[in-house]
Amino acid sequence: MKDNYFQGKKFIKNYIVAITIFILTLIMGIVIFFNGVSIAVEKNSKETLITNVARQSEHSNKILELNYSYLNALAENLTKSDDLFSKDNLHLIKSLMNNTDLDRTAIINTNGDVLYDNEVVKNVAHRRYFKEVMEGKQSLSDPLESSVDQQTRVILCVPIYRNNQVIGAVGGSYNVTKLGNMLFDDLFDGQGKSFIVNQDGNLITRNKEYTKKHNIKVLNNLFDVCKQKKVKRDFKDQKSNLILITTKNNESLYLAYSPLKINDWMVGYVVPVHAAQESYTFITHYETLLAFFLGFIVLSLIIYLALSNSKENKYLIHLSQVDPLTSVYNKETTQVLIDQKLKTQEPCCFLILDVDAFKSVNDNFGHAVGDKVLTELGTLFKNHFRQTDIVGRIGGDEFIILIEDENIAESRIQALLKKVNELKIPELQDFVLSISVGMAYAPSQGTTFMELYRHADHALYQIKRSGKNNYNIYKSDEN
């Protein structure tokens, strides 16, 4: 019994270790898989964002180039009139403004005098873009933020030639803030915002509402919040890239930037990380379903293995405890169970049962019939006594029974003697089975298995001598 106990404990320990290793391995595999998916999602999101910003940068440049082409076409028409500020030319610049995205158009003469489409006259001789255009260059002014609508505008200016001589210029005001917002409106459902910044990090356009919403520090220079050397190097080398920034609200934002290819400007786009990865949320949903599914499978497997193992263990324990022939407790289990019961000091009756003339049964009918007799008797004993009583075989034709209620012990034995006599086994023909029983009471006649065994065996010896097929109670004065 002791060996069986420790073997069972060792088996359970090994089983728990194996299950633990399996679960840890599965968890590790799931974590690695989910981490790989997360890295792939992040990588794809960044690549998509950089690609979109680079494309929008190219698109922005094309839009500006398109407006330059409008101005160049207009410049060719303006040379048809000797007076640059003629009514026909005024009508032409008004028509250009009405049919393009230019907010304001104007004609400039060589003195720097400007006639706007609204017929306002100014002088811009001191402006950089005027000086450049007079040299025959296509020029773009420094950005200027309007105090009225907080929109940033630039002046696109091209020279007017006549006989290969610059006789003036035509220019148009363009809203670059509106351009940036328009380009990115359909990206990530408008959850991000764009800006234009020069090579030194100075913001040309910005979105004050967005910075306020995300509690981003109001700044004039991008490098005040993006102090990474790589960002400055990218701006200097006019390279596209993406970085991760964190707001005061601990919100993670992607900042992507790409060269605009005009005046060394860069176009940037800032968007919350969750918005950039929103198109991959279905993967997260599938990951959750997969996690639940695997968890359910593992839990079901553990429960199945536990129940199966418990059932198997119970069966193995049962096999180790019972006598294979009679299905009652074997000798070792019987002794252990009875000793445990005796420790309670509760009154009970200890019985030794011996089959009368069992040797004759084996000699006359064969050992196979003898085994059948023992099997039938084992079944009879188990059914006759209560489940709380202990029924065991300790060897040969000898059985031991511990009856919990000593008050009914004699009546139970008397009834058993009769049942044994009435037991019919065809192979025995007319042979009548009988048993002899020795009885001892605990704790008055013994408190241990061996002590009660000796006394009950003595009582059995006495009944064997006096005729068998009966029972006898141990008396201490007979010892």
Side-chain angles (χ1 to χ4, degrees):
M1 278 292 293
K2 201 170 193 180
D3 290 340
N4 290 332
Y5 173 77
F6 285 114
Q7 287 177 2
K9 292 283 283 184
K10 184 177 180 181
F11 176 81
I12 293 173
K13 181 180 179 181
N14 292 338
Y15 172 78
I16 293 174
V17 169
I19 287 294
T20 302
I21 292 174
F22 169 75
I23 293 174
L24 291 177
T25 303
L26 182 61
I27 291 174
M28 187 179 299
I30 293 174
V31 169
I32 292 173
F33 171 74
F34 285 173
N35 186 58
V37 171
S38 178
I39 292 173
V41 168
E42 183 178 2
K43 180 181 178 182
N44 289 338
S45 299
K46 289 181 177 180
E47 290 178 351
T48 300
L49 186 54
I50 292 175
T51 301
N52 273 285
V53 172
R55 287 176 179 173
Q56 300 294 39
S57 174
E58 292 178 4
H59 188 41
S60 301
N61 186 53
K62 288 179 179 178
I63 290 176
L64 292 177
E65 290 295 338
L66 179 63
N67 281 281
Y68 271 123
S69 67
Y70 292 153
L71 292 172
N72 282 314
L74 178 61
E76 291 181 8
N77 287 317
L78 293 176
T79 59
K80 295 177 182 179
S81 174
D82 293 332
D83 182 10
L84 285 179
F85 292 166
S86 67
K87 289 185 177 180
D88 289 338
N89 286 353
L90 181 62
H91 176 74
L92 287 174
I93 62 173
K94 285 183 178 180
S95 177
L96 180 66
M97 185 198 70
N98 292 330
N99 291 284
T100 64
D101 291 330
L102 295 171
D103 291 340
R104 193 100 277 158
T105 53
I107 303 171
I108 310 171
N109 64 21
T110 54
N111 295 323
D113 296 325
V114 181
L115 175 64
Y116 290 95
D117 57 83
N118 59 0
E119 301 185 27
V120 173
V121 178
K122 288 185 180 181
N123 187 278
V124 294
H126 62 289
R127 299 289 187 182
R128 175 186 59 79
Y129 68 85
F130 170 74
K131 295 176 182 179
E132 289 180 353
V133 80
M134 286 298 104
E135 295 174 0
K137 299 178 183 177
Q138 200 170 258
S139 182
L140 185 72
S141 73
D142 294 326
L144 180 65
E145 184 175 353
S146 171
S147 59
V148 177
D149 59 7
Q150 284 77 49
Q151 299 290 300
T152 302
R153 291 175 173 81
V154 291
I155 303 297
L156 286 74
C157 199
V158 299
I160 301 174
Y161 288 95
R162 180 181 290 162
N163 300 324
N164 295 324
Q165 295 292 323
V166 177
I167 63 169
V170 61
S173 171
Y174 193 83
N175 188 335
V176 290
T177 301
K178 182 180 178 182
L179 170 64
N181 292 338
M182 176 186 70
L183 292 172
F184 291 93
D185 274 346
D186 61 345
L187 189 61
F188 305 120
D189 295 327
Q191 297 185 64
K193 288 298 175 182
S194 64
F195 59 89
I196 297 176
V197 60
N198 66 18
Q199 190 178 33
D200 297 323
N202 297 315
L203 267 72
I204 296 170
T205 65
R206 70 197 74 192
N207 190 299
K208 293 183 178 179
E209 292 182 2
Y210 190 81
T211 55
K212 184 178 179 180
K213 176 183 176 182
H214 293 275
N215 199 16
I216 301 174
K217 179 182 177 183
V218 177
L219 70 159
N220 295 316
N221 191 289
L222 182 66
F223 298 155
D224 290 341
V225 291
C226 302
K227 298 181 180 180
Q228 302 176 29
K229 292 181 179 179
K230 180 173 178 56
V231 179
K232 295 182 179 180
R233 189 164 59 250
D234 288 339
F235 272 52
K236 183 178 180 180
D237 298 338
Q238 292 285 287
K239 289 184 178 179
S240 301
N241 212 331
L242 179 145
I243 63 170
L244 181 69
I245 60 175
T246 304
T247 68
K248 292 181 179 179
N249 295 334
N250 291 322
E251 182 181 11
S252 296
L253 304 174
Y254 281 142
L255 169 62
Y257 48 84
S258 185
L260 192 56
K261 299 176 183 178
I262 298 176
N263 287 3
D264 294 330
W265 290 355
M266 302 284 284
V267 60
Y269 184 76
V270 62
V271 62
V273 172
H274 67 83
Q277 297 180 359
E278 195 169 4
S279 59
Y280 298 96
T281 52
F282 73 95
I283 296 178
T284 305
H285 296 156
Y286 283 129
E287 285 180 340
T288 304
L289 290 175
L290 178 62
F292 276 115
F293 176 73
L294 290 176
F296 174 75
I297 293 297
V298 171
L299 183 61
S300 301
L301 179 61
I302 291 173
I303 293 174
Y304 170 77
L305 291 175
L307 293 175
S308 177
N309 181 65
S310 175
K311 186 176 180 180
E312 185 177 354
N313 279 346
K314 287 180 180 178
Y315 178 69
L316 292 174
I317 291 171
H318 173 73
L319 290 181
S320 68
Q321 291 178 340
V322 301
D323 173 60
L325 180 63
T326 61
S327 296
V328 299
Y329 288 122
N330 57 28
K331 180 179 179 180
E332 293 81 4
T333 305
T334 302
Q335 184 171 346
V336 170
L337 293 176
I338 290 177
D339 275 332
Q340 290 175 351
K341 183 65 179 177
L342 294 175
K343 288 179 181 178
T344 64
Q345 297 294 315
E346 294 179 2
C348 54
C349 183
F350 186 96
L351 312 176
I352 296 181
L353 289 74
D354 187 84
V355 182
D356 297 330
F358 187 68
K359 186 176 182 301
S360 298
V361 173
N362 282 331
D363 292 342
N364 295 325
F365 302 99
H367 288 280
V369 176
D371 289 344
K372 185 174 181 180
V373 169
L374 294 176
T375 300
E376 293 291 337
L377 287 174
T379 302
L380 176 62
F381 296 161
K382 282 176 65 177
N383 294 334
H384 182 72
F385 295 98
R386 296 176 299 182
Q387 290 185 346
T388 54
D389 297 332
I390 300 171
V391 180
R393 178 189 176 207
I394 61 173
D397 62 332
E398 192 172 74
F399 293 83
I400 288 180
I401 298 173
L402 187 74
I403 301 177
E404 278 193 338
D405 189 353
E406 63 175 2
N407 297 319
I408 64 169
E410 285 195 63
S411 62
R412 301 301 291 170
I413 293 302
Q414 291 169 0
L416 180 62
L417 291 171
K418 184 177 180 182
K419 286 184 178 180
V420 172
N421 293 152
E422 295 173 351
L423 185 62
K424 300 297 182 181
I425 298 177
E427 291 83 354
L428 293 180
Q429 300 172 4
D430 295 331
F431 188 89
V432 179
L433 286 172
S434 64
I435 58 173
S436 297
V437 183
M439 303 172 59
Y441 288 94
S444 59
Q445 295 178 337
T447 56
T448 66
F449 177 89
M450 292 308 301
E451 189 176 7
L452 289 169
Y453 181 85
R454 287 196 303 270
H455 294 164
D457 188 56
H458 180 78
L460 176 64
Y461 177 74
Q462 295 296 328
I463 198 65
K464 285 280 190 180
R465 291 180 57 188
S466 62
K468 306 177 182 179
N469 194 27
N470 209 337
Y471 70 95
N472 184 37
I473 301 172
Y474 171 76
K475 297 179 180 60
S476 57
D477 57 355
E478 292 179 355
N479 195 8

